[in-house]
Amino acid sequence: MKGYSASINYLIQAFARFPGIGPRTAERMVFYLLKSEPGEARRMAELILRVKEHTFFCERCFNLSESKLCHICLDESREAHKILVVEDPKDVAAFEKSGIYRGLYHVLVGHLSPQDGIGPEDIRVRELFDRVEREGLRELILATSARSEGEATSQYIAAMLAARAQVRITRIARGIPVGHPIEFADQATLARAFEGRQEMKQEVRRGHEIQVPESQ
Amino acid sequence: MKGYSASINYLIQAFARFPGIGPRTAERMVFYLLKSEPGEARRMAELILRVKEHTFFCERCFNLSESKLCHICLDESREAHKILVVEDPKDVAAFEKSGIYRGLYHVLVGHLSPQDGIGPEDIRVRELFDRVEREGLRELILATSARSEGEATSQYIAAMLAARAQVRITRIARGIPVGHPIEFADQATLARAFEGRQEMKQEVRRGHEIQVPESQ
């Protein structure tokens, strides 16, 4: 883009690399910064560096975190005997926004996808099984996506844990539109899906019998 | 937005303050940065600081600049006897992209708007008149917007300079769609508007007589 100084051109180009941001929007963003208070641009630059340099995976649940353990794992008011299993940190944020869940999470950071060569060793299922072993869970709630990879991932986890009778394994109801990722579900749909979760072991045992959830 | 670390939330909020950027796009932007190479985030942060702290108005033409004089004023290959008058630095960029103009610019940094209390002392017309006085111009090309404020601004400048017979005063043709700001005009429209520019003094003298531009 001619007509601007080199730095402005570079910043327009940098912003235009964001997904969904075209050169015109990038130009408007730069002009917004030029007109904003000096503190706002400095704060944004500092946040970019801080987020990039100080964001890690939580060592316990693999949510995004600024410390060894994420703020959810560190929150002692959470129900520590429940783990909700999701594919992506964005799914944690979606559940937190709905406000319906007060337990812990486990982020798989992916899903099984044999056709893409993604097996159990490529996602955080080993760490999930270790947590089930160690943490004295009462319930594992599977909230992988309603896509085939998500279903396969939940089926795999349920099958691997089938022998552990003491842990209730549920998965959220398919109230979530099939084919949509969890992060785009609205809060009401997420809440309904959560409340309608069904026993996974029993579903396998009883076949097509209608299930009534044992408890919320 | 719950579920993310504090820094990530702050950065999402900071990005969502950009015009046209909603919280969902802001979230995607943050995840793009998290997945990008470390150098890309650092470079973006540095560019934001540099653009914000080292962008000034050119002391001569009021284009945006990283130095006292902008890169166009400093470019000795430009035709120094022509000044194209625009309202905004974005309009300079639009003309530079079209490639049709090789003279200098003068950015008014606004337009006359009596109903908003914006008079000649609020925009850079005094500095324009000083340049006309000093710089030995042959042509002043008025390229304010085709909106009523832009028209009024051009009429005012032409009237103030009417006595200076040695300077040819033109304005770009209304090939630009009426009501649209110049920065959104496509390059072909800008080029046609530039080539179809008409004598302003003669237009006033001859009334509705059809004009043939004297030269390109």
Side-chain angles (χ1 to χ4, degrees):
Chain A
M1 194 160 304
K2 296 174 185 173
Y4 294 126
S5 69
S7 308
I8 291 180
N9 279 337
Y10 288 139
L11 187 56
I12 292 172
Q13 287 162 16
F15 282 160
R17 276 197 292 273
F18 279 123
I21 305 293
R24 177 67 67 188
T25 303
E27 195 179 0
R28 274 204 303 272
M29 288 164 66
V30 172
F31 274 80
Y32 170 82
L33 278 183
L34 283 171
K35 285 175 187 164
S36 68
E37 290 178 33
E40 182 162 355
R42 193 170 312 115
R43 194 171 145 73
M44 183 177 290
E46 285 164 2
L47 279 169
I48 287 172
L49 290 177
R50 191 162 126 207
V51 161
K52 186 62 185 175
E53 291 169 7
H54 298 283
T55 298
F56 315 99
F57 287 117
C58 170
E59 289 185 357
R60 185 187 191 191
C61 80
F62 300 95
N63 187 16
L64 295 177
S65 175
E66 287 180 86
S67 45
K68 285 195 168 194
L69 293 178
C70 75
H71 66 291
I72 296 173
C73 284
L74 288 172
D75 181 352
E76 296 189 357
S77 75
R78 309 285 304 208
E79 300 170 22
H81 56 276
K82 288 183 187 170
I83 290 180
L84 195 149
V85 179
V86 295
E87 298 179 14
D88 193 284
K90 285 180 192 159
D91 302 333
V92 173
F95 269 103
E96 290 296 290
K97 271 183 272 185
S98 80
I100 197 165
Y101 180 66
R102 291 291 305 157
L104 302 178
Y105 291 92
H106 190 88
V107 182
L108 297 171
V109 198
H111 48 236
L112 298 181
S113 181
Q115 67 271 32
D116 300 314
I118 302 171
E121 67 287 353
D122 299 311
I123 62 174
R124 299 297 188 171
V125 283
R126 165 59 40 215
E127 292 85 349
L128 173 63
F129 299 153
D130 288 349
R131 288 182 71 186
V132 171
E133 206 70 55
R134 278 197 325 264
E135 295 186 15
L137 289 191
R138 271 183 250 150
E139 183 171 2
L140 194 72
I141 303 149
L142 299 170
T144 53
S145 81
R147 289 184 275 207
S148 59
E149 296 91 344
E151 295 292 344
T153 306
S154 278
Q155 291 292 348
Y156 171 81
I157 293 169
M160 293 294 282
L161 295 175
R164 282 180 186 75
Q166 74 280 17
V167 182
R168 186 182 176 214
I169 301 178
T170 58
R171 74 173 155 192
I172 61 170
R174 278 67 135 219
I176 292 163
V178 172
H180 284 232
I182 284 188
E183 57 164 312
F184 295 137
D186 62 80
Q187 298 177 14
T189 306
L190 268 183
R192 228 170 298 121
F194 181 83
E195 281 158 359
R197 66 189 189 274
Q198 299 179 318
E199 294 295 335
M200 205 152 173
K201 289 182 200 165
Q202 295 189 5
E203 193 179 43
V204 173
R205 252 196 330 266
R206 294 191 205 158
H208 290 287
E209 198 177 325
I210 287 167
Q211 302 291 313
V212 179
E214 284 175 20
S215 75
Q216 301 301 333
Chain B
M1 195 160 303
K2 297 173 182 173
Y4 294 124
S5 69
S7 308
I8 291 179
N9 280 338
Y10 289 139
L11 187 56
I12 291 172
Q13 288 162 16
F15 282 161
R17 276 198 290 274
F18 279 124
I21 305 293
R24 176 68 66 191
T25 302
E27 195 179 0
R28 274 205 302 273
M29 288 163 66
V30 172
F31 274 80
Y32 170 83
L33 278 183
L34 283 171
K35 284 175 187 163
S36 69
E37 290 179 34
E40 182 161 356
R42 192 169 313 115
R43 192 170 146 75
M44 184 177 290
E46 285 164 1
L47 279 170
I48 287 172
L49 290 177
R50 193 164 125 205
V51 162
K52 186 63 185 173
E53 291 169 7
H54 298 283
T55 298
F56 315 97
F57 286 116
C58 170
E59 290 185 357
R60 184 187 191 190
C61 78
F62 301 95
N63 188 18
L64 295 177
S65 176
E66 287 179 86
S67 46
K68 285 194 168 197
L69 292 179
C70 75
H71 66 291
I72 296 173
C73 283
L74 288 171
D75 181 351
E76 297 189 358
S77 75
R78 309 286 304 209
E79 299 169 24
H81 55 278
K82 287 183 188 172
I83 291 182
L84 195 149
V85 179
V86 295
E87 298 179 15
D88 193 283
K90 286 180 192 158
D91 303 332
V92 173
F95 269 102
E96 289 297 289
K97 271 184 271 182
S98 82
I100 197 164
Y101 181 65
R102 291 291 305 157
L104 302 178
Y105 292 92
H106 189 87
V107 182
L108 296 171
V109 198
H111 48 237
L112 297 181
S113 181
Q115 65 271 36
D116 301 315
I118 302 171
E121 68 286 355
D122 300 312
I123 63 174
R124 300 296 189 171
V125 282
R126 163 64 36 216
E127 293 85 349
L128 174 63
F129 298 154
D130 289 348
R131 288 182 71 186
V132 172
E133 206 70 54
R134 277 197 324 265
E135 294 187 16
L137 290 191
R138 271 184 251 148
E139 182 172 2
L140 193 71
I141 303 148
L142 299 171
T144 54
S145 80
R147 290 185 275 206
S148 58
E149 295 92 343
E151 294 293 343
T153 306
S154 277
Q155 291 293 347
Y156 171 81
I157 293 169
M160 293 294 282
L161 295 176
R164 282 181 186 74
Q166 75 280 19
V167 181
R168 184 182 175 213
I169 301 178
T170 58
R171 73 175 158 193
I172 61 170
R174 280 67 135 217
I176 292 164
V178 173
H180 284 233
I182 284 188
E183 56 164 310
F184 295 137
D186 61 79
Q187 297 177 14
T189 306
L190 268 182
R192 228 170 299 121
F194 181 83
E195 282 159 357
R197 66 190 188 275
Q198 299 179 318
E199 294 296 336
M200 206 151 171
K201 288 183 204 166
Q202 295 190 5
E203 192 178 43
V204 173
R205 255 198 324 268
R206 294 190 206 159
H208 290 288
E209 199 177 324
I210 289 169
Q211 302 294 312
V212 179
E214 286 175 19
S215 75
Q216 301 300 331

